[in-house]
Amino acid sequence: MNALLRATERWMEERFPVGAVKKFVSDQATKPLPAHTSWFHTFGSLAIFVIVNQIVTGMLLMIYYRPMPDSAFESVRFIMTKASFGWFIRGLHAWGSKFMIVLLLLHIVRTFFMGAYKKPRELTWVVGVCLFGIALTFGFTGYLLPWNQLSYWATTIGTEMAGALPLVGVQFKRLLLGGDAVGGETLSRFYVVHVIVFPWLLVGLTALHVVLMRAQGLATMDRVGEEKKPKGGLPFVPHHLLKEGVVFAIFLGFLITISILWPPELGEKANPFDTPQAIKPEWYWLPTYQLLKYFPKLLGVLICFLPPVVMMLWPFLDRTRERRFRKRPISVAIGILTIMAALVFGLLGHFSETDIALFGKKYHVDHYGVPRTPTETPHP
Amino acid sequence: MEPRRLRCATDLTGAVSSCRGAAAIGFCTVLFLTAPRGLAAQETSSCAPCHEKERAQEEKSVHLREGVACTDCHGGDPKEIDKGRAHADRVKKVPHTEVPKLCGGCHADVRRMNPYGLPTDQLSRYQTSRHGEVLAQGDTEVATCTDCHRAHGVLSVKSPDSPVYPRNVPGTCGRCHGDEELMKKRGKKSTAPALYRQSVHAALLFDKGDLSAPTCATCHGNHGAVPPGVRDITHVCGKCHVKEHEVFERSPHFQPTRQGDFKGCVQCHTNHKILKSPADIRKKCGLCHDEDHPGPKRFDAIFARIDRGEAALRRTGERLEELTRAGFHTEDDRVLWEQAKTANRQILPGQHALDLKTVEDLASTAEKTLAEVDRSLEEKEKSKRVRRLALVPIWGFLVVMAGLFWAKRKAVEKRAGSAPSPGDRE
Amino acid sequence: MSADAEAPKDEKPAAADRRSFLDLLIRGGLLAGAGAMAAPTVAYLWPARAGGGKTAKVSAGPVKDFPVGSARMVQAEGKPIIVIRAAEDRFRAFSAICTHLGCVVKWDSGSGKIRCPCHAGVFGTDGKQVSGPPPRALSEYEVSIVGGEVVVTL
């Protein structure tokens, strides 16, 4: 009996080397992290948690969702009103997508100010920027799917921006829309991209990102080329994982709270004959949206393409050796200025074409974000 | 008037004689150019080349289309190229006073109008109208057919360019009735068109584009235009406001209206401006009643009741909206709410009996339905509260978990012993 | 919370005991958390009352319960619909929302017309306005007879 068991074990061991797999996993898990690994290092793994959340809730939503213009809206309404907890699952998915952007931004800021993108981790950074781009476009494709007024017109404006690209713009827009205007063809395209193409791309690139990160180890704060093996650092499991557990529990609490208190609205069904007033994109597109207003179409698009390109190539542009942010004032200043500019343009975009009250006075903020007293702009 | 008209006639003859020389050469070319276009028979008439302006005005006219030629009204010989001979047969500008009879020549002819399905009583109606009466009394300026329908280029009522198209009627009547000088001469007020513009009827017609909205002609009649008498007012308004008319018969104001002491609907709503807001109408009570008369008090009681009903309807409507936005299934409640709204909508016509009980009955019907909606909404709001309350245990659980992870981390750190991480909280 | 309070209390006895207790709590918590997340998921997957997204068709009851010259109100997606049997083999369905001010219209079997109680608007059996203030005809829905049942297609 015992002999039989041992034989089976041996047979299995040869074909499925449990020991080796175990050793590989445990080596990876217990690899010591540098001593400065902080609470700020949890943003990346939180983003991975949100990806899991998006995939699970996304699959659940797909169960009732129908990507057809005459039933998409109705199916989302069914999810919201009839399917048990449908409103909650949609809330987790919709809010998760926004939290994802926030977490990725925080993760990027952390990486930037700790100089973790420098040699030899340039490619990890490049992959990360690609992931960020995918996350932004992911939100854009998902926005159309409920087929309500907001999604319909936001998509119309978004694809219009893409249409302004030099040379290939018009063709690119036609390719995106599957025709000349947002319609059933567009919905199918966005759906396929949203539920098949992007999820695989995101998971694949995330895996590459994580593998690169594990293979090279977390960056220390030492100068480039003078990195020492982390000494006395605590292992990923269980030490850092527990730290993530704490953050994760609190984060989950916030996600659930927001989904319960402010479930995403459904709005009105898309109506191609009725353009709502002052349609605006999601908040993370606002800086781009506002920037485009100040420049003629072509120039504006080029200017909007500059920041992502610079961001992608940043590790190759900034070849200094210091990592501590006090010792590299120029790149830190550029970073802070970029954040400020994004904030300013985002706020201008948010308040443009609305009425605000400042110090008891009413202003109408115009297209360009300039507040005007109502007498200055006679409105019909 | 008369001398001017005579002068016109001489001018015409003068022009005709001066034309005569050029006619022989000119006309042949014109005919040569126009004839091959293969136009309808009346087009080959010889009037057009000289009377270009009139020909242009006739362009879209129903008369031209139906084959009514210039000569049918004006006389003359359309086949004659020579001006003198063409005009020989008493060509004239039709005198204003003769227009109704001239138009009636065809339009009062049953046989002729039959295929078009047009009524033939316009002439007789006109003759009984105020316009017709005044014309008979010798007022030559008064409106006849052509003042409303135009002389040349008469269009169908269905054509938006026609002066009698619903939307154009107030302007057409207003040309004279809004002319202060013209009206003063006859001892009339010229305020009606301006007042009409402020009315609910005008808002429907112009702002909402509702072509069934009443214009001047709806109340005063078109061909038989007369201001309705006091006793007829309820019938005139009742043509559309059926419910109000029916209910008004139970009103304490009904008998005085029959006796001609109370001007019916118009007494409170005024005639052209048509007051709508209860506050404006309330002011009219004072015309006849003292403030301590039971009438005005009842009015206040009725409208307080109506306001209460409206407020309840609005409140429930807002709750419904909020729950719908929060992702609840509210479609069945919405149907009930619409029914309550329907019941509520009947109160305003219904209160014309000035009878609190009628109003109370209607309002309570609406409220019963609303109560049903409210009960159902209550339940949904409860489950919304439950959702929010669920946050308490969820947070409790998550905070405990975070605490456990924290404690475990501390323990692990301690076990790691002498080499703790100094930069832990950097 | 509770763990924080518990941790220092148990410090004196064997540290291993405390650790295993903590591990037990964490494992239990994770399990409970997974269960709490699975429950709504299962509830969500369970077929809901009405089944399917769009209710494209709504039944107005069997033909035999529908006398000629009568009407019935049905509702679908929050909209009232009036179904009329105008003749032996002629069923028609209209939106029951009056085109004038949005009241719900009613069938008047006496005159064989659709009436709006609010402002006395009258519509014929073809949904066209006959008299009164309504500016447009009632919008119509398709009606079909499926297996002896009157079905309105939205």
Side-chain angles (χ1 to χ4, degrees), chain B residues 204 208 210 212 239-244 329 331-332 334-335 338-339 341-343 345-346 349 396-397 399-401 403-409 411-412 414-415, chain C residues 1-4 7 11 18-19 22-23 25-26 28-30 32-33 49 75-80 97 100-104 106 117-120 132-135:
Chain B
L204 271 178
K208 278 203 170 173
D210 180 353
S212 67
K239 278 195 289 187
C240 297
H241 300 275
V242 182
K243 202 87 190 173
E244 285 86 343
H329 177 77
E331 280 154 17
D332 302 335
R334 181 162 296 279
V335 172
E338 290 287 346
Q339 277 173 13
K341 194 173 98 184
T342 301
R345 276 267 157 77
Q346 293 172 48
F397 174 74
V399 168
V400 167
M401 285 307 285
L404 288 174
F405 288 137
W406 182 281
K408 175 79 182 162
R409 197 176 74 92
V412 170
K414 208 175 226 174
R415 200 165 13 138
Chain C
M1 250 154 43
S2 57
D4 268 340
E11 215 163 86
R18 196 193 60 185
R19 271 205 304 280
L22 203 56
D23 287 348
L25 272 182
I26 288 178
L30 287 177
R49 279 160 283 169
Q75 62 181 60
E77 293 184 358
K79 288 174 288 224
I97 306 279
H100 177 225
L101 287 174
C103 292
V104 178
K106 288 194 169 62
C118 292
H119 298 95

Coordinates of all heavy atoms in Angstrom, one line a residue, chain B residues 204 208 210 212 239-244 329 331-332 334-335 338-339 341-343 345-346 349 396-397 399-401 403-409 411-412 414-415, chain C residues 1-4 7 11 18-19 22-23 25-26 28-30 32-33 49 75-80 97 100-104 106 117-120 132-135:
Chain B
L204 N -50.0 78.9 -26.5 CA -50.2 77.6 -27.1 C -49.9 77.7 -28.6 O -49.1 76.9 -29.2 CB -51.6 77.1 -27.0 CG -52.0 76.3 -25.7 CD1 -53.4 75.9 -25.8 CD2 -51.1 75.0 -25.7
K208 N -45.9 76.9 -28.3 CA -46.0 75.4 -28.4 C -46.2 75.0 -29.8 O -46.1 73.8 -30.1 CB -47.1 74.9 -27.5 CG -46.6 74.7 -26.1 CD -47.4 73.7 -25.4 CE -46.9 73.3 -24.0 NZ -47.8 72.4 -23.3
D210 N -49.1 74.8 -31.3 CA -50.3 74.0 -31.4 C -51.3 74.7 -32.3 O -51.9 75.7 -31.9 CB -50.8 73.9 -29.9 CG -52.1 73.1 -29.9 OD1 -52.6 72.7 -31.0 OD2 -52.6 72.8 -28.8
S212 N -54.1 73.8 -33.2 CA -55.5 73.7 -32.8 C -55.9 74.8 -31.7 O -57.0 74.9 -31.3 CB -55.9 72.3 -32.3 OG -55.2 72.1 -31.0
K239 N -67.1 75.4 -26.4 CA -66.8 74.6 -27.6 C -65.5 73.8 -27.3 O -65.4 72.6 -27.7 CB -66.5 75.6 -28.8 CG -67.8 76.0 -29.4 CD -67.5 76.6 -30.8 CE -66.8 78.0 -30.7 NZ -66.6 78.7 -31.9
C240 N -64.5 74.3 -26.6 CA -63.3 73.6 -26.3 C -63.3 73.2 -24.8 O -63.0 72.0 -24.5 CB -62.1 74.4 -26.5 SG -61.9 74.9 -28.3
H241 N -63.7 74.1 -24.0 CA -63.7 73.8 -22.5 C -65.0 73.1 -22.1 O -65.8 73.6 -21.3 CB -63.4 75.1 -21.7 CG -62.1 75.7 -22.1 ND1 -60.9 75.3 -21.5 CD2 -61.8 76.7 -23.0 CE1 -59.9 76.1 -22.1 NE2 -60.5 76.9 -23.0
V242 N -65.2 71.9 -22.7 CA -66.4 71.2 -22.5 C -66.7 70.9 -21.0 O -67.8 71.2 -20.5 CB -66.4 69.8 -23.2 CG1 -67.7 69.1 -23.1 CG2 -66.0 70.0 -24.7
K243 N -65.7 70.4 -20.3 CA -65.9 70.1 -18.9 C -66.3 71.3 -18.1 O -67.2 71.3 -17.3 CB -64.6 69.5 -18.4 CG -64.8 68.6 -17.2 CD -65.1 67.2 -17.6 CE -65.5 66.4 -16.4 NZ -66.0 65.1 -16.8
E244 N -65.5 72.4 -18.3 CA -65.8 73.6 -17.6 C -67.2 74.1 -17.8 O -67.9 74.5 -16.9 CB -64.8 74.7 -18.0 CG -63.4 74.5 -17.4 CD -62.5 73.6 -18.3 OE1 -63.1 72.9 -19.2 OE2 -61.3 73.6 -18.2
H329 N -36.9 49.5 -8.8 CA -37.9 49.2 -9.8 C -39.2 50.0 -9.4 O -39.9 49.7 -8.5 CB -38.2 47.7 -9.8 CG -39.3 47.4 -10.8 ND1 -39.0 47.3 -12.1 CD2 -40.6 47.1 -10.6 CE1 -40.2 47.0 -12.7 NE2 -41.1 46.8 -11.8
E331 N -41.5 51.2 -11.9 CA -42.4 51.4 -13.0 C -43.9 51.3 -12.7 O -44.7 52.1 -13.1 CB -42.0 50.5 -14.1 CG -40.8 51.0 -14.9 CD -40.0 49.9 -15.5 OE1 -40.6 48.8 -15.7 OE2 -38.9 50.1 -15.9
D332 N -44.2 50.3 -11.8 CA -45.6 50.1 -11.4 C -46.1 51.4 -10.6 O -47.2 51.8 -10.8 CB -45.8 48.9 -10.6 CG -45.3 47.7 -11.4 OD1 -45.3 47.7 -12.6 OD2 -44.9 46.7 -10.7
R334 N -45.1 54.3 -11.0 CA -45.2 55.4 -11.9 C -46.5 55.4 -12.6 O -47.2 56.5 -12.7 CB -44.1 55.4 -12.9 CG -44.1 56.6 -13.9 CD -42.8 56.7 -14.6 NE -41.7 57.1 -13.7 CZ -41.5 58.3 -13.2 NH1 -42.3 59.3 -13.6 NH2 -40.5 58.5 -12.4
V335 N -47.0 54.2 -12.9 CA -48.3 54.1 -13.6 C -49.4 54.7 -12.6 O -50.3 55.5 -13.0 CB -48.6 52.7 -14.0 CG1 -50.1 52.6 -14.5 CG2 -47.7 52.3 -15.1
E338 N -49.2 58.4 -12.3 CA -49.8 59.0 -13.5 C -51.3 59.1 -13.4 O -52.0 60.0 -13.7 CB -49.5 58.3 -14.8 CG -48.0 58.4 -15.2 CD -47.6 59.8 -15.7 OE1 -48.6 60.6 -16.1 OE2 -46.4 60.1 -15.8
Q339 N -51.9 58.0 -12.8 CA -53.4 58.0 -12.6 C -53.8 59.0 -11.6 O -54.8 59.7 -11.8 CB -53.8 56.6 -12.1 CG -54.0 55.6 -13.2 CD -54.2 54.2 -12.7 OE1 -54.5 54.0 -11.6 NE2 -54.1 53.2 -13.6
K341 N -52.2 61.7 -11.1 CA -52.1 63.0 -11.8 C -53.3 63.3 -12.6 O -53.8 64.4 -12.7 CB -50.8 63.0 -12.6 CG -50.4 64.3 -13.1 CD -49.1 64.3 -13.8 CE -49.3 64.2 -15.3 NZ -48.1 64.1 -16.1
T342 N -53.8 62.2 -13.3 CA -55.0 62.4 -14.1 C -56.2 62.8 -13.3 O -56.9 63.7 -13.7 CB -55.3 61.1 -14.8 OG1 -54.2 60.7 -15.6 CG2 -56.5 61.2 -15.7
A343 N -56.3 62.2 -12.1 CA -57.4 62.6 -11.2 C -57.3 64.0 -10.8 O -58.2 64.8 -10.8 CB -57.5 61.6 -10.0
R345 N -55.7 66.4 -12.4 CA -55.9 67.3 -13.5 C -57.4 67.6 -13.7 O -57.7 68.7 -14.3 CB -55.4 66.6 -14.8 CG -53.9 66.8 -15.0 CD -53.7 68.1 -15.9 NE -52.3 68.6 -15.6 CZ -51.2 68.0 -16.2 NH1 -51.3 67.0 -16.9 NH2 -50.1 68.5 -15.9
Q346 N -58.3 66.8 -13.2 CA -59.7 67.0 -13.4 C -60.3 68.0 -12.4 O -61.4 68.5 -12.5 CB -60.5 65.7 -13.2 CG -60.2 64.7 -14.3 CD -60.8 63.4 -14.1 OE1 -62.0 63.3 -13.8 NE2 -60.0 62.3 -14.2
P349 N -60.8 71.9 -14.0 CA -62.1 72.1 -14.7 C -63.2 71.9 -13.7 O -64.2 72.7 -13.7 CB -62.1 71.0 -15.7 CG -60.7 70.5 -15.9 CD -60.0 70.8 -14.6
G396 N -17.6 47.6 10.2 CA -17.2 46.9 11.4 C -16.3 45.7 11.1 O -15.1 45.6 11.6
F397 N -16.8 44.9 10.2 CA -16.0 43.7 9.7 C -14.7 44.1 9.1 O -13.6 43.5 9.5 CB -16.9 42.9 8.8 CG -16.2 41.8 8.1 CD1 -15.9 40.6 8.9 CD2 -15.7 41.8 6.8 CE1 -15.3 39.5 8.3 CE2 -15.0 40.7 6.3 CZ -14.8 39.6 7.0
V399 N -12.9 46.8 9.4 CA -12.0 47.4 10.4 C -11.4 46.4 11.3 O -10.2 46.4 11.5 CB -12.7 48.5 11.2 CG1 -11.8 49.0 12.4 CG2 -13.0 49.7 10.4
V400 N -12.2 45.4 11.7 CA -11.7 44.3 12.5 C -10.6 43.5 11.7 O -9.5 43.2 12.2 CB -12.8 43.3 12.9 CG1 -12.2 42.0 13.4 CG2 -13.7 44.0 13.9
M401 N -10.9 43.3 10.4 CA -10.0 42.6 9.5 C -8.7 43.4 9.4 O -7.6 42.8 9.6 CB -10.5 42.3 8.1 CG -11.6 41.3 8.1 SD -11.0 39.7 8.8 CE -9.9 39.1 7.5
G403 N -7.5 45.5 11.5 CA -6.9 45.3 12.8 C -6.1 44.0 13.0 O -5.0 44.0 13.5
L404 N -6.8 42.9 12.5 CA -6.2 41.6 12.6 C -4.9 41.6 11.8 O -3.9 41.1 12.3 CB -7.1 40.5 12.1 CG -8.3 40.2 13.1 CD1 -9.3 39.2 12.4 CD2 -7.8 39.6 14.4
F405 N -5.0 42.1 10.6 CA -3.8 42.1 9.7 C -2.7 42.9 10.4 O -1.5 42.6 10.4 CB -4.1 42.8 8.4 CG -5.0 41.9 7.5 CD1 -6.0 42.4 6.8 CD2 -4.7 40.5 7.4 CE1 -6.8 41.6 6.0 CE2 -5.5 39.7 6.6 CZ -6.5 40.2 5.9
W406 N -3.0 44.0 11.0 CA -2.1 44.9 11.7 C -1.4 44.1 12.8 O -0.2 44.1 12.9 CB -2.8 46.1 12.2 CG -1.9 47.1 12.9 CD1 -1.4 47.0 14.2 CD2 -1.4 48.3 12.3 NE1 -0.6 48.1 14.4 CE2 -0.6 48.9 13.3 CE3 -1.5 48.9 11.1 CZ2 0.1 50.1 13.1 CZ3 -0.8 50.1 10.9 CH2 0.0 50.7 11.9
A407 N -2.2 43.5 13.6 CA -1.7 42.8 14.8 C -0.8 41.7 14.3 O 0.3 41.5 14.9 CB -2.8 42.2 15.6
K408 N -1.2 41.0 13.3 CA -0.4 39.9 12.7 C 1.0 40.4 12.2 O 2.0 39.8 12.5 CB -1.1 39.2 11.6 CG -0.4 38.1 10.9 CD -0.4 36.8 11.6 CE 0.4 35.8 10.9 NZ 0.8 34.7 11.7
R409 N 0.9 41.6 11.6 CA 2.1 42.2 11.1 C 3.1 42.5 12.2 O 4.3 42.2 12.1 CB 1.8 43.5 10.3 CG 2.9 43.9 9.4 CD 2.4 45.1 8.6 NE 2.3 46.3 9.5 CZ 3.3 47.2 9.6 NH1 4.4 47.0 9.0 NH2 3.2 48.2 10.4
A411 N 3.2 41.1 15.0 CA 3.7 39.8 15.6 C 4.9 39.3 14.7 O 5.9 38.9 15.2 CB 2.6 38.8 15.7
V412 N 4.6 39.4 13.4 CA 5.7 38.9 12.5 C 6.9 39.7 12.6 O 8.1 39.2 12.6 CB 5.2 38.9 11.0 CG1 6.3 38.7 10.0 CG2 4.0 38.0 10.8
K414 N 8.0 41.2 15.2 CA 8.7 40.9 16.4 C 9.5 39.6 16.3 O 10.6 39.5 16.8 CB 7.6 40.8 17.5 CG 8.1 41.1 18.9 CD 7.0 41.0 19.9 CE 7.0 42.2 20.8 NZ 5.7 42.2 21.6
R415 N 8.8 38.7 15.6 CA 9.5 37.4 15.4 C 10.7 37.6 14.6 O 11.7 36.9 14.8 CB 8.5 36.4 14.7 CG 8.9 35.0 14.9 CD 7.8 34.0 14.5 NE 6.8 34.6 13.8 CZ 6.2 34.1 12.7 NH1 6.6 32.9 12.3 NH2 5.2 34.7 12.1
Chain C
M1 N -10.1 46.2 15.6 CA -10.6 46.8 16.8 C -10.5 45.8 18.0 O -9.6 46.1 18.9 CB -12.1 47.1 16.7 CG -12.4 48.5 16.6 SD -13.9 48.9 15.7 CE -15.1 47.7 16.3
S2 N -11.2 44.7 18.0 CA -11.1 43.8 19.1 C -9.8 43.1 19.1 O -9.2 42.9 20.2 CB -12.2 42.7 18.9 OG -12.1 42.1 17.6
A3 N -9.2 42.9 17.9 CA -7.9 42.3 17.9 C -6.8 43.2 18.6 O -6.0 42.7 19.3 CB -7.5 42.0 16.5
D4 N -7.0 44.5 18.3 CA -6.0 45.4 18.9 C -6.1 45.3 20.5 O -5.1 45.3 21.1 CB -6.4 46.8 18.5 CG -5.6 47.2 17.3 OD1 -4.6 46.5 17.0 OD2 -6.1 48.1 16.6
A7 N -4.6 41.8 21.7 CA -3.2 41.5 21.5 C -2.4 41.7 22.7 O -1.7 40.8 23.1 CB -2.7 42.3 20.3
E11 N -0.2 38.8 25.9 CA 1.2 38.8 25.7 C 2.0 37.9 26.6 O 3.0 37.2 26.2 CB 1.7 40.2 25.8 CG 2.9 40.6 24.9 CD 3.1 42.0 24.8 OE1 3.8 42.6 25.6 OE2 2.5 42.7 23.9
R18 N -0.8 32.7 21.0 CA -1.5 33.9 20.5 C -1.4 34.0 19.0 O -2.4 34.4 18.4 CB -0.7 35.2 21.1 CG -1.5 36.4 21.0 CD -0.7 37.6 21.3 NE 0.4 37.7 20.3 CZ 1.4 38.6 20.4 NH1 1.4 39.4 21.4 NH2 2.4 38.6 19.5
R19 N -0.3 33.6 18.5 CA -0.1 33.6 17.0 C -1.1 32.7 16.4 O -1.8 33.1 15.4 CB 1.3 33.2 16.6 CG 2.3 34.4 16.5 CD 3.4 34.1 15.6 NE 4.1 32.9 16.0 CZ 5.0 32.8 16.9 NH1 5.3 33.9 17.6 NH2 5.7 31.7 17.2
L22 N -4.5 34.3 16.5 CA -4.6 35.3 15.5 C -4.8 34.8 14.1 O -5.6 35.2 13.3 CB -3.3 36.2 15.6 CG -3.4 37.6 15.1 CD1 -4.4 38.4 15.8 CD2 -2.0 38.2 15.3
D23 N -4.0 33.7 13.8 CA -4.1 33.1 12.5 C -5.5 32.6 12.2 O -6.1 32.7 11.2 CB -3.1 31.9 12.3 CG -1.7 32.5 12.2 OD1 -1.6 33.7 11.9 OD2 -0.7 31.7 12.3
L25 N -8.3 33.6 13.6 CA -9.2 34.7 13.4 C -9.1 35.3 12.0 O -10.1 35.5 11.3 CB -8.8 35.9 14.4 CG -9.5 35.8 15.8 CD1 -9.1 37.1 16.6 CD2 -11.0 35.8 15.6
I26 N -7.8 35.4 11.5 CA -7.7 35.9 10.2 C -8.3 35.0 9.1 O -9.0 35.4 8.2 CB -6.2 36.2 9.9 CG1 -5.7 37.4 10.7 CG2 -5.9 36.4 8.4 CD1 -4.2 37.7 10.5
G28 N -10.6 32.8 9.6 CA -12.1 32.8 9.7 C -12.6 34.1 9.0 O -13.6 34.0 8.3
G29 N -11.9 35.2 9.3 CA -12.4 36.5 8.7 C -12.4 36.4 7.2 O -13.3 36.8 6.5
L30 N -11.3 35.9 6.6 CA -11.2 35.8 5.2 C -12.3 34.9 4.6 O -12.9 35.2 3.6 CB -9.8 35.2 4.8 CG -8.6 36.2 4.9 CD1 -7.3 35.5 4.6 CD2 -8.8 37.4 4.1
A32 N -15.2 34.2 6.0 CA -16.5 35.0 6.1 C -16.6 36.0 5.1 O -17.7 36.2 4.5 CB -16.6 35.6 7.5
G33 N -15.5 36.7 4.8 CA -15.5 37.8 3.8 C -15.8 37.2 2.4 O -16.7 37.7 1.7
R49 N -37.3 37.9 -11.2 CA -38.8 37.7 -11.4 C -39.2 37.7 -12.9 O -39.8 36.8 -13.4 CB -39.5 38.9 -10.7 CG -39.6 38.7 -9.3 CD -39.9 40.0 -8.6 NE -38.6 40.8 -8.5 CZ -38.6 42.1 -8.1 NH1 -39.7 42.7 -7.9 NH2 -37.4 42.7 -8.0
Q75 N -50.2 47.6 -18.9 CA -49.1 48.5 -18.8 C -47.8 47.8 -19.1 O -47.7 46.6 -18.9 CB -49.1 49.0 -17.3 CG -48.9 47.9 -16.3 CD -48.9 48.5 -14.9 OE1 -49.8 49.1 -14.5 NE2 -47.8 48.3 -14.2
A76 N -46.9 48.5 -19.6 CA -45.6 47.9 -19.9 C -44.5 49.0 -19.7 O -44.7 50.1 -20.2 CB -45.6 47.4 -21.3
E77 N -43.5 48.7 -19.0 CA -42.4 49.6 -18.8 C -42.8 50.9 -18.3 O -42.4 52.0 -18.8 CB -41.5 49.7 -20.0 CG -40.8 48.5 -20.4 CD -39.9 48.6 -21.6 OE1 -39.9 49.7 -22.2 OE2 -39.3 47.6 -21.9
G78 N -43.8 50.9 -17.4 CA -44.3 52.2 -16.8 C -45.2 53.0 -17.7 O -45.5 54.1 -17.4
K79 N -45.6 52.4 -18.8 CA -46.5 53.2 -19.7 C -47.8 52.5 -19.8 O -47.9 51.3 -20.0 CB -45.9 53.3 -21.1 CG -44.7 54.2 -21.1 CD -44.0 54.2 -22.5 CE -43.3 52.9 -22.7 NZ -42.0 53.0 -23.2
P80 N -48.9 53.2 -19.6 CA -50.2 52.6 -19.8 C -50.6 52.5 -21.3 O -50.3 53.4 -22.0 CB -51.2 53.6 -19.1 CG -50.4 54.9 -19.1 CD -49.0 54.7 -19.2
I97 N -51.6 57.7 -23.0 CA -51.2 59.0 -22.6 C -51.8 60.0 -23.6 O -51.4 60.0 -24.7 CB -49.7 59.2 -22.5 CG1 -49.1 58.1 -21.7 CG2 -49.3 60.6 -22.0 CD1 -49.1 58.3 -20.2
H100 N -52.5 65.7 -25.3 CA -52.7 67.1 -24.9 C -51.8 67.4 -23.7 O -50.8 68.1 -23.9 CB -54.2 67.3 -24.7 CG -54.5 68.7 -24.2 ND1 -55.4 69.0 -23.2 CD2 -54.1 69.9 -24.6 CE1 -55.5 70.3 -23.0 NE2 -54.7 70.9 -23.9
L101 N -52.2 66.9 -22.5 CA -51.4 67.3 -21.3 C -51.0 66.0 -20.6 O -50.7 66.1 -19.4 CB -52.2 68.2 -20.5 CG -52.4 69.7 -21.0 CD1 -53.3 70.5 -20.1 CD2 -51.0 70.3 -21.1
G102 N -51.1 64.9 -21.2 CA -50.6 63.7 -20.6 C -51.5 63.0 -19.6 O -51.0 62.2 -18.8
C103 N -52.8 63.2 -19.6 CA -53.7 62.4 -18.8 C -53.8 61.0 -19.4 O -53.5 60.8 -20.5 CB -55.1 63.1 -18.7 SG -55.0 64.7 -17.8
V104 N -54.4 60.1 -18.6 CA -54.6 58.8 -19.0 C -56.0 58.7 -19.6 O -57.0 59.0 -19.0 CB -54.4 57.8 -17.9 CG1 -54.7 56.4 -18.4 CG2 -53.0 57.9 -17.3
K106 N -59.5 57.1 -21.4 CA -60.3 56.0 -21.1 C -61.2 55.6 -22.3 O -61.4 56.4 -23.2 CB -61.3 56.4 -19.9 CG -60.6 56.5 -18.6 CD -61.6 56.6 -17.5 CE -60.9 56.5 -16.1 NZ -59.9 57.6 -15.9
P117 N -60.4 62.3 -19.8 CA -61.3 62.9 -18.8 C -60.9 64.3 -18.4 O -61.7 65.0 -17.9 CB -61.2 62.0 -17.6 CG -59.9 61.3 -17.8 CD -59.6 61.2 -19.2
C118 N -59.7 64.7 -18.8 CA -59.2 66.0 -18.3 C -59.8 67.2 -19.1 O -60.4 68.1 -18.5 CB -57.7 66.1 -18.4 SG -57.0 65.0 -17.2
H119 N -59.7 67.2 -20.4 CA -60.1 68.3 -21.2 C -61.0 67.9 -22.3 O -61.0 68.5 -23.4 CB -58.9 69.1 -21.7 CG -58.1 69.7 -20.6 ND1 -57.0 69.0 -20.1 CD2 -58.2 70.8 -19.8 CE1 -56.5 69.7 -19.1 NE2 -57.2 70.7 -18.9
A120 N -61.7 66.7 -22.1 CA -62.7 66.3 -23.1 C -62.1 66.1 -24.5 O -62.8 66.4 -25.4 CB -63.9 67.2 -23.1
G132 N -61.8 68.2 -29.5 CA -61.1 68.6 -28.3 C -59.7 69.1 -28.6 O -59.3 69.2 -29.7
P133 N -59.0 69.4 -27.5 CA -57.7 70.0 -27.7 C -56.5 69.2 -28.1 O -55.5 69.8 -28.4 CB -57.4 70.6 -26.3 CG -58.2 69.8 -25.3 CD -59.4 69.3 -26.1
P134 N -56.5 67.8 -28.1 CA -55.3 67.1 -28.4 C -54.7 67.5 -29.7 O -55.4 67.5 -30.7 CB -55.7 65.6 -28.4 CG -56.9 65.6 -27.5 CD -57.6 66.9 -27.8
P135 N -53.4 67.8 -29.8 CA -52.8 68.2 -31.0 C -52.4 67.1 -31.9 O -52.3 67.3 -33.1 CB -51.5 68.9 -30.5 CG -51.2 68.3 -29.2 CD -52.5 67.8 -28.6

